[in-house]
Amino acid sequence: MLTKTFARYVRVDLLCIDELGYMDSTKRGAELLFQVLTEREEKASVAIASNDAFSGLTKTFTDPRLCAAIVDRLTFGGTRTTVVEQAQPRD
C-alpha cells in the first residue's frame, strides 16, 4: 500500500502541500517526505503553502539534519514567493 501511495506522489505533475508545518511530523513521516521530494527533484514541481518561515519547520521536523535536508530539497533550484497579507478590520 505504501509503495502505491509513494509512487502516486512521485508521478503527479504538480504536488501541492498545504499548511506544511501545521502539524508535527514523526521521524518516519519526515523521512518519507524527504524521499518523495528527492524522487521529484528536477523532474516535477512542488508547491508549498505554509504560515511559517522555513526556520519554523524545526518545530515540525525535530531532527535538525533531516529538517535541513527537507528545506534544501524544497528550495534547491526553486522559486520562493512570500505573500504578506494584512488583516482587514471587519465591520
Side-chain angles (χ1 to χ4, degrees), residues 15-78:
L15 177 63
C16 298
I17 303 174
D18 191 22
E19 294 295 340
L20 182 68
Y22 178 70
M23 297 176 63
D24 293 341
S25 175
T26 64
K27 183 170 182 177
R28 181 67 179 137
E31 289 169 346
L32 289 170
L33 176 60
F34 177 76
Q35 285 180 319
V36 167
L37 295 173
T38 297
E39 287 295 317
R40 296 180 62 80
E41 188 174 24
E42 296 186 21
K43 297 176 196 166
S45 298
V46 177
I48 303 291
S50 178
N51 289 331
D52 280 338
F54 286 119
S55 61
L57 291 178
T58 56
K59 295 177 284 184
T60 302
F61 307 113
T62 56
D63 180 324
R65 286 180 27 171
L66 187 52
C67 182
I70 289 170
V71 170
D72 179 67
R73 289 293 185 263
L74 291 172
T75 58
F76 178 78

Side-chain angles (χ1 to χ4, degrees), residues 1-9 11:
M1 180 72 162
L2 184 59
T3 303
K4 282 185 177 182
T5 303
F6 183 82
R8 185 174 356 133
Y9 289 135
R11 78 172 173 260

